[in-house]
Amino acid sequence: MPGEGCPRYRGVGTLSQKFAWGIDIGESAIKAVKVRRAGESVVVQEYRTIQCEAPPGETQSGDRDFRVRNALTELQFEAKLKGCPVAVSVPGRDVFPRFIPLPPVDKKRIPEIVRYEARNQMPFPIEEVIWDYQPVSGLDVPGAEVEVAFFAIKKATIYGYLTNLRLAGISPDLMQIGPLATYNFFLHDQAVETGSVIIDVGAGNTDLVIVDGDRFWIRSVAISGNDITRALQEKYQISFEEAESLKRKAASSQQAEKLFGSMRPIVDDLIGEIQRSIGYYKAQTRNVRIEKIILLGNAFRLPKLVDYFRKSLDYEVSLLEGLNRVRVSGTAD
């Protein structure tokens, strides 16, 4: 998580080595990538996905920790992570973010004011969370209003992740909030224009990241890829696994139009949340102009979904087209 005195938006811990593993503990799978520094580029050397979905007949939430630990143990065995630097992402849905404007004050008073605001704005006792902040704008302009990005996560949540990792024999060097990792990636790899919105639809939640010049803003939306699957499950009275398979094959199905019709109510809800989020950001920010939306996530393998976003949102909408400063090794899958 970002912190006072740290380089911009890095995670807790340091990774000075030339290679590292990144692990994403997702709702339905553990995804891991091994990367190596090469000058200003990053080279992907290995990539692995290990499923941690509930077996047929069980709910997705049933004994999830057990399934996650098994998947992490399998990853540890296959990838031989012992002794390797490891970075782990924390889902945006587990994080409490706030973007707090502060009055023009001496820099030395900022930590004191942020602590006061933290106690007032958090919905749970400050003793129960790990929290930190990062100045976003105004710090270098004398007399200007300073905005800080404040993030908190319950200690019990972090300890839960650490317990699963350590029982699998994995000791992370760094833990980072998923939406901030997305932001860091775009800053490193993409020429992000002012007023860009990144929409990352995962199985468990959707992350929204607004990049606005030197400023940024994030929000996690509860609507996800699994909600689209559940819509198909309810419509056709089939198992979750069958509905997930149906969703993944929808792009090549002769019933693509019909399947998308069943997904549309959930997609409309998601688009509504995106529009409200952008509207809120515009209302809170002066001189902002949102021009572009970039889509991420397996859900957008369905062309009709991408087209529907283009028709429903009054912005330029595109998929992430490619990588600029991240290369894939010839030996990687």
Side-chain angles (χ1 to χ4, degrees):
M1 293 171 63
E4 182 186 11
C6 298
R8 286 187 71 207
Y9 319 127
R10 75 174 189 180
V12 170
T14 56
L15 291 174
S16 58
Q17 295 87 340
K18 289 191 176 181
F19 70 93
W21 278 92
I23 300 176
D24 174 25
I25 303 175
E27 189 72 15
S28 58
I30 305 294
K31 298 176 183 177
V33 62
K34 184 180 182 181
V35 295
R36 173 176 57 84
R37 287 180 181 168
E40 292 298 313
S41 298
V42 175
V43 180
V44 175
Q45 293 186 299
E46 293 184 49
Y47 174 77
R48 297 174 187 272
T49 299
I50 299 174
Q51 299 300 318
C52 59
E53 291 177 308
E58 290 187 17
T59 63
Q60 291 299 306
S61 59
D63 209 358
R64 171 169 164 75
D65 283 339
F66 177 75
R67 298 197 310 274
V68 167
R69 285 196 293 271
N70 281 349
L72 287 170
T73 301
E74 184 178 341
L75 172 66
Q76 162 76 299
F77 177 77
E78 288 185 3
K80 299 179 175 58
L81 298 180
K82 208 158 193 178
C84 295
V86 173
V88 179
S89 70
V90 178
R93 67 174 182 270
D94 291 335
V95 178
F96 176 78
R98 278 291 182 272
F99 292 80
I100 307 171
L102 306 180
V105 295
D106 188 285
K107 291 181 184 180
K108 294 178 181 178
R109 290 200 59 207
I110 290 178
E112 171 194 344
I113 296 173
V114 172
R115 277 194 295 271
Y116 174 80
E117 291 292 342
R119 289 184 178 276
N120 286 338
Q121 297 204 27
M122 268 195 297
F124 23 75
I126 198 168
E127 295 78 16
E128 296 179 6
V129 303
I130 298 168
W131 66 277
D132 216 326
Y133 72 95
Q134 178 77 39
V136 174
S137 64
L139 195 62
D140 299 324
V141 182
E145 181 181 87
V146 175
E147 183 180 31
V148 299
F150 168 88
F151 301 93
I153 185 167
K154 285 192 171 183
K155 291 179 181 178
T157 301
I158 283 292
Y159 294 157
Y161 282 107
L162 290 174
T163 298
N164 286 337
L165 287 160
R166 285 170 181 163
L167 286 174
I170 301 170
S171 297
D173 296 80
L174 179 151
M175 298 191 77
Q176 176 65 292
I177 299 168
L180 288 183
T182 300
Y183 174 70
N184 282 335
F185 161 72
F186 271 85
L187 283 190
H188 172 79
D189 188 80
Q190 303 287 308
V192 183
E193 300 171 2
T194 298
S196 296
V197 183
I198 303 154
I199 307 296
D200 184 4
V201 178
N205 67 283
T206 293
D207 289 329
L208 182 148
V209 182
I210 295 179
V211 182
D212 179 19
D214 290 334
R215 302 179 74 256
F216 76 100
W217 186 84
I218 68 172
R219 184 189 173 209
S220 185
V221 178
I223 302 168
S224 66
N226 280 353
D227 291 306
I228 295 175
T229 302
R230 292 186 190 100
L232 294 174
Q233 181 184 13
E234 184 176 337
K235 173 70 175 178
Y236 297 106
Q237 295 297 297
I238 55 180
S239 70
F240 184 90
E241 291 72 24
E242 290 172 316
E244 182 68 19
S245 177
L246 199 60
K247 181 182 75 175
R248 293 178 181 180
K249 297 175 182 177
S252 58
S253 171
Q254 294 181 349
Q255 302 295 320
E257 188 67 42
K258 187 176 179 182
L259 291 172
F260 183 71
S262 302
M263 303 175 192
R264 187 173 287 126
I266 296 296
V267 175
D268 284 340
D269 288 344
L270 176 57
I271 289 173
E273 288 295 328
I274 292 169
Q275 290 171 325
R276 279 188 285 276
S277 298
I278 295 173
Y280 175 83
Y281 180 78
K282 284 183 172 180
Q284 301 295 314
T285 310
R286 295 186 295 270
N287 302 320
V288 62
R289 184 176 178 182
I290 303 298
E291 297 179 350
K292 187 175 183 180
I293 290 180
I294 304 166
L295 305 176
L296 302 176
N298 284 334
F300 294 111
R301 290 184 177 183
L302 183 61
K304 285 188 177 296
L305 185 58
V306 179
D307 292 340
Y308 195 68
F309 267 68
R310 287 183 175 134
K311 292 175 184 175
S312 303
L313 294 167
D314 190 25
Y315 306 99
E316 177 190 344
V317 177
S318 65
L319 293 167
L320 179 66
E321 297 295 340
L323 306 175
N324 298 318
R325 297 173 66 189
V326 177
R327 297 184 287 112
V328 179
S329 166
T331 61
D333 184 349

